């Protein structure tokens, strides 16, 4: 049984801000992970903010158990010491899982100390809509208690088999939902996939051509382990007006494979990916920023059909209403990039 539509947009606690009806229109090509207990990396936030769209204070996996309190305090310090909103950069935090001993302190401290600075809480290991309902209610109570003016959004990580099975219900669970990203490492473990890689392909996952009559070597090609999950996640997100994203790529030395994984995500409809190391920032920027020739072609397509209806030919290829909409996706993204990066505005001619 779903909530009645009006109730969906009512605050869940007296004094909590009204739920958002639309997501803010922002560029989120890379979510840059900062281990929040690491003072050296925290001190680099002002410099990093010049290079990325979003900075995330990580409190969950990769933070040792004995540094969880320091990471939480570090996330608060980051939110208080740097003005992310004025810099035009998003500020997110990834909290510990709902069943962990650190979860409640993470949420209560973040909302109490920096509730008005935090744009999004990333929630790991989301299994079903019940996890989002719980977060929704808890955040509303804390927002009301601390006088937070604008609802903190939720971004779920899709990283368990149960989460994948329930992804549509997760996406539609609350107006707080910002998006969902694919977490390939935990998902591989949850599914009992036989890989220790963090994202990307696997040389053993391939399709073999039929046997040759002469017994010669058979052609084979590596396949994409993540295609099914991506497609399911993208459809669930788009159906509910959320942003799909790719998560971590663990082999920092294999920049080509990282770029290919990001590009597959971009082409499938994702808006961004996590960056775990400075070397991945340029890759994410290159992939999730539409190429100049692609944008110029899309602009010519839109000009060829000014009201978006009918049929036209551009460079010998047929366009109709559907192609016009495809072109608009690219031009809309280019406008967002142009608003943030004057050199790209000039390159696109926008
Ligand atoms: O040369 P310097 O010492 O001045 O700087 C190093 C290093 O400090 C810096 N750096 C970073 N700066 C900003 N943000 C980062 N995330 C970051 N990572 C490193 O870059 C310079 C070169 O670094 P390096 O190649 O010598 O690498 P390190 O050994 O210093 O660091 C590697 C790790 C993996 C420890 C570091 O990159 C890191 O902690 N990254 C984030 C990891 C993370 O958040 N993992 C959780 C998400 S993934 C998941 O949940 C599922 C798998
Ligand atoms: Mg994980």
């Amino acid at each position: 049984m779903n909530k009645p539509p009006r109730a969906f947009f009512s605050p869940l606690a007296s004094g909590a801000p009204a739920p958002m009806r639309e997501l803010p229109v922002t560029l989120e090509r890379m979510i840059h992970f900062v281990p929040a207990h690491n003072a050296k990396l925290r001190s680099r936030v002002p410099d990093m903010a010049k290079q990325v769209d979003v900075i995330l204070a990580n409190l969950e996996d990769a933070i040792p158990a004995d540094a969880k309190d320091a990471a939480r305090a570090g996330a608060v310090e980051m939110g208080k010491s740097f003005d992310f909103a004025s810099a035009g950069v998003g500020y997110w935090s990834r909290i510990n899982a709902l069943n962990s001993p650190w979860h409640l302190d993470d949420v209560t401290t973040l909302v109490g100390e920096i509730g008005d600075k935090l744009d999004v809480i990333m929630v790991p290991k989301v299994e079903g809509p019940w996890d989002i309902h719980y977060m929704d209610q808890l955040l509303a109570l804390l927002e009301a208690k601390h006088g937070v003016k604008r609802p903190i959004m939720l971004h779920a990580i899709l990283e368990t088999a149960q989460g994948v099975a329930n992804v549509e219900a997760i996406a539609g669970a609350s107006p707080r939902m910002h998006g969902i990203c694919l977490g390939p490492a935990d998902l591989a473990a949850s599914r009992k996939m036989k890989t220790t890689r963090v994202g990307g392909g696997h040389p053993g996952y391939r399709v073999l051509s039929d046997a040759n009559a002469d017994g010669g070597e058979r052609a084979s090609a590596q396949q994409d382990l993540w295609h099914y999950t991506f497609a399911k996640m993208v459809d669930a997100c788009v159906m509910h007006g959320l942003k799909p994203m790719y998560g971590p790529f663990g082999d920092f030395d294999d920049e080509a494979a990282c770029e290919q994984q990001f590009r597959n995500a971009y082409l499938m409809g994702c808006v961004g990916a996590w960056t775990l190391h400075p070397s991945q920032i340029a890759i994410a920027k290159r992939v999730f920023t539409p190429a100049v020739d692609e944008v110029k072609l899309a602009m010519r397509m839109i000009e060829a059909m000014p009201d978006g209806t009918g049929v036209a030919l551009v460079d010998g290829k047929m366009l109709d209403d559907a192609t016009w909409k495809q072109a608009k996706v690219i031009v809309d993204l280019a406008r967002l990039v142009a608003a943030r990066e004057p050199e790209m505005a000039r390159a696109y001619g926008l």
Side-chain angles (χ1 to χ4, degrees):
M1 173 83 178
N2 290 328
K3 272 190 198 177
R6 281 195 185 86
F8 206 68
F9 288 100
S10 300
L12 290 179
S14 167
M20 290 176 184
R21 284 182 181 262
E22 298 290 341
L23 286 183
V25 180
T26 45
L27 206 50
E28 290 164 338
R29 294 166 294 181
M30 70 295 286
I31 314 301
H32 186 68
F33 271 55
V34 175
H37 65 302
N38 185 324
K40 180 179 95 171
L41 294 191
R42 283 202 313 270
S43 73
R44 294 184 180 170
V45 163
D47 273 344
M48 282 187 263
K50 293 182 190 135
Q51 304 165 46
V52 302
D53 297 337
V54 175
I55 287 187
L56 176 144
N58 182 30
L59 311 185
E60 199 224 8
D61 291 358
I63 308 300
D66 63 3
K68 293 289 187 185
D69 292 346
R72 193 182 304 122
V76 170
E77 188 214 276
M78 280 165 67
K80 286 189 172 170
S81 62
F82 185 72
D83 188 349
F84 288 91
S86 298
V89 172
Y91 184 44
W92 298 20
S93 182
R94 179 171 82 166
I95 57 170
N96 286 287
L98 275 53
N99 59 358
S100 76
W102 309 289
H103 170 81
L104 204 52
D105 286 342
D106 289 350
V107 185
T108 52
T109 305
L110 290 177
V111 182
E113 297 286 335
I114 52 167
D116 271 323
K117 314 265 184 195
L118 203 58
D119 297 297
V120 175
I121 289 182
M122 185 182 274
V123 188
K125 302 172 179 72
V126 173
E127 302 269 31
W130 50 87
D131 288 339
I132 301 300
H133 295 157
Y134 152 76
M135 282 300 301
D136 202 3
Q137 185 67 60
L138 179 61
L139 284 177
L141 287 162
L142 291 168
E143 286 166 350
K145 176 175 177 183
H146 297 288
V148 174
K149 298 282 178 300
R150 148 197 90 132
I152 298 168
M153 292 177 279
L154 293 172
H155 188 102
I157 314 182
L158 195 60
E159 53 183 350
T160 66
Q162 196 181 167
V164 175
N166 290 324
V167 67
E168 276 183 35
I170 293 168
S174 159
R176 274 187 204 276
M177 283 300 291
H178 162 281
I180 303 181
C181 57
L182 174 65
D186 269 300
L187 183 55
S190 166
R191 283 178 173 159
K192 304 197 186 323
M193 290 164 67
K194 309 302 181 292
T195 170
T196 52
R197 297 172 173 218
V198 178
H202 192 289
Y205 192 74
R206 14 190 359 110
V207 169
L208 206 60
S209 70
D210 289 354
N212 294 313
D214 63 5
E217 198 182 333
R218 295 159 69 171
S220 79
Q222 206 170 311
Q223 306 292 303
D224 182 1
L225 277 170
W226 306 110
H227 182 76
Y228 155 79
T229 316
F230 258 129
K232 197 169 176 188
M233 182 186 83
V234 169
D235 283 348
C237 283
V238 174
M239 168 176 162
H240 289 283
L242 313 185
K243 294 186 175 184
M245 293 191 176
Y246 178 69
F249 189 86
D251 187 348
F252 298 165
D253 291 335
D254 194 347
E255 296 195 357
C258 177
E259 179 153 353
Q260 191 58 54
Q261 177 69 85
F262 286 5
R263 194 167 300 286
N264 291 351
Y266 172 72
L267 289 170
M268 283 284 286
C270 291
V271 302
W274 302 0
T275 53
L276 306 180
H277 187 272
S279 62
Q280 295 185 332
I281 295 171
I283 301 174
K285 199 167 192 173
R286 190 157 65 237
V287 171
F288 291 99
T289 302
V292 172
D293 54 351
E294 201 179 19
V295 172
K296 290 198 164 165
L297 173 64
M299 283 160 65
R300 285 201 290 130
M301 290 166 119
I302 288 176
E303 278 159 22
M305 283 177 49
D307 72 351
T309 66
V311 67
L313 281 175
V314 168
D315 298 344
K317 297 189 182 67
M318 194 260 334
L319 322 178
D320 67 4
D321 310 42
T323 348
W324 186 92
K325 288 178 204 152
Q326 289 174 279
K328 189 166 179 305
V329 168
I330 292 170
V331 174
D332 286 351
L333 176 57
R335 286 191 197 286
L336 269 182
V337 173
R340 187 173 164 88
E341 294 172 4
E343 70 282 7
M344 288 311 293
R346 280 191 293 279
Y348 292 145
L350 283 168

